[in-house]
Amino acid sequence: MRRPLVAGNWKMHGTCASIKLLLNELATQVLPAEVDVAVFPGLVYLQAVGAQVAQSDIVVGAQDCAVQLEEGALTGETSALQLADIGCSMVLVGHSERRQLQDETDSVICRKFIAAQAAGLTPVLCVGETLAEREAGQALAVVQRQIDAVLVELGVDVFAKAVIAYEPVWAIGSGLTATPEQAQDIHAQIRAHIASHSAGVAQGLRILYGGSVKAANAAELFAQADIDGGLVGGASLNAKEFGAICRAAGN
Ligand SMILES: O=C(CO)COP(=O)(O)O
């Protein structure tokens, strides 16, 4: 039985004041004990958020890390070890916005995945196809290629301590959520692909859906057999919405 995970990716949103308020409001929400809840604030807010949620069960993750683990002359970069040092336990790798805007390649993302695990962080490997790729019938092939960049390179066992987030690019920030059937179809195929290497790893692997998840659509998405929670963007900036999404992942 997989424990659901609901993760809020705050992207480049928030200020000291607004984040404090958001967390204060989130503290008034009932979050189900059987659901893991994580928030991914911008880098400069990680420590403050960590301090504010320290007495709760909410864990904190970063949105990216450097490919290099060891300290060095890499201006502007932050290593996975540094993220672990300030109390992060998870890190997103390969979010589509970084693939597109920062030209991150599959091989760079694989190196970040390695760095994350070496530092003891759980990498959340984000995968997903563009609308053009879906319309060309390439959705599964694209997702499989993105996963294989890690799977073939490192072997299946690394997924025993990782999370995959399926985020179709066309559903991100667009209000166009994948239907539960569309999402379940890809999730099931991701799990089958992992299972072709190790049934045990596939069974335990949490696969999150991301892309316009809201309180109004979360329950039917999370009811799907292979959807183990969500990676939530915009709706995670509203405590009531996010709380309701977390509750939708509960029993
Ligand atoms: O990119 C996402 C989470 O990583 C999804 O963003 P939205 O929920 O705003 O569509």
Side-chain angles (χ1 to χ4, degrees):
M1 191 54 195
R2 295 179 292 272
R3 252 179 92 77
L5 167 64
V6 177
N9 176 9
W10 294 353
K11 308 190 181 185
M12 203 173 74
H13 292 283
T15 61
C16 292
S18 73
I19 286 172
K20 198 169 180 189
L21 190 64
L22 174 59
L23 291 174
N24 281 341
E25 287 175 358
L26 197 53
T28 68
Q29 291 291 309
V30 177
L31 301 178
E34 67 276 17
V35 176
D36 288 337
V37 178
V39 292
F40 291 74
L43 187 62
V44 295
Y45 300 112
L46 284 172
Q47 262 185 301
V49 169
Q52 207 178 333
V53 300
Q55 304 308 318
S56 76
D57 292 327
I58 298 173
V59 302
V60 181
Q63 297 172 16
D64 184 38
C65 67
V67 296
Q68 182 171 315
L69 192 63
E70 302 77 25
E71 64 179 352
L74 289 166
T75 303
E77 291 290 290
T78 304
S79 75
L81 276 176
Q82 291 175 319
L83 296 173
D85 184 43
I86 62 157
C88 287
S89 55
M90 309 182 97
V91 61
L92 305 182
V93 294
H95 192 282
S96 64
E97 285 152 17
R98 297 202 61 81
R99 290 180 191 263
Q100 288 186 335
L101 304 175
Q102 313 294 330
D103 291 328
E104 284 194 8
T105 61
D106 283 332
S107 78
V108 161
I109 292 159
C110 181
R111 291 172 67 198
K112 292 185 174 189
F113 187 104
I114 294 170
Q117 287 193 331
L121 302 179
T122 301
V124 180
L125 175 65
C126 303
V127 298
E129 82 286 358
T130 63
L131 186 58
E133 289 164 340
R134 173 161 283 262
E135 286 175 348
Q138 293 297 307
L140 184 62
V142 168
V143 165
Q144 211 152 297
R145 187 206 75 224
Q146 292 167 337
I147 292 173
D148 280 350
V150 174
L151 181 60
V152 172
E153 188 71 19
L154 306 178
V156 71
D157 289 342
V158 296
F159 285 97
K161 287 189 177 163
V163 173
I164 290 178
Y166 169 58
E167 300 202 299
V169 178
W170 48 272
I172 294 178
S174 63
L176 276 178
T177 320
T179 65
E181 294 73 27
Q182 282 173 322
Q184 165 60 21
D185 176 44
I186 299 286
H187 280 235
Q189 303 208 55
I190 291 173
R191 199 177 307 285
H193 184 55
I194 302 285
S196 71
H197 296 260
S198 165
V201 171
Q203 188 62 32
L205 177 66
R206 293 190 288 189
I207 307 174
L208 311 184
Y209 169 77
S212 298
V213 176
K214 313 183 252 296
N217 59 26
E220 53 176 1
L221 286 162
F222 299 162
Q224 304 298 311
D226 291 291
I227 301 183
D228 305 310
L231 181 54
V232 185
S236 70
L237 299 168
N238 178 309
K240 281 197 183 119
E241 272 286 303
F242 190 62
I245 293 168
C246 293
R247 288 191 292 279
N251 294 326

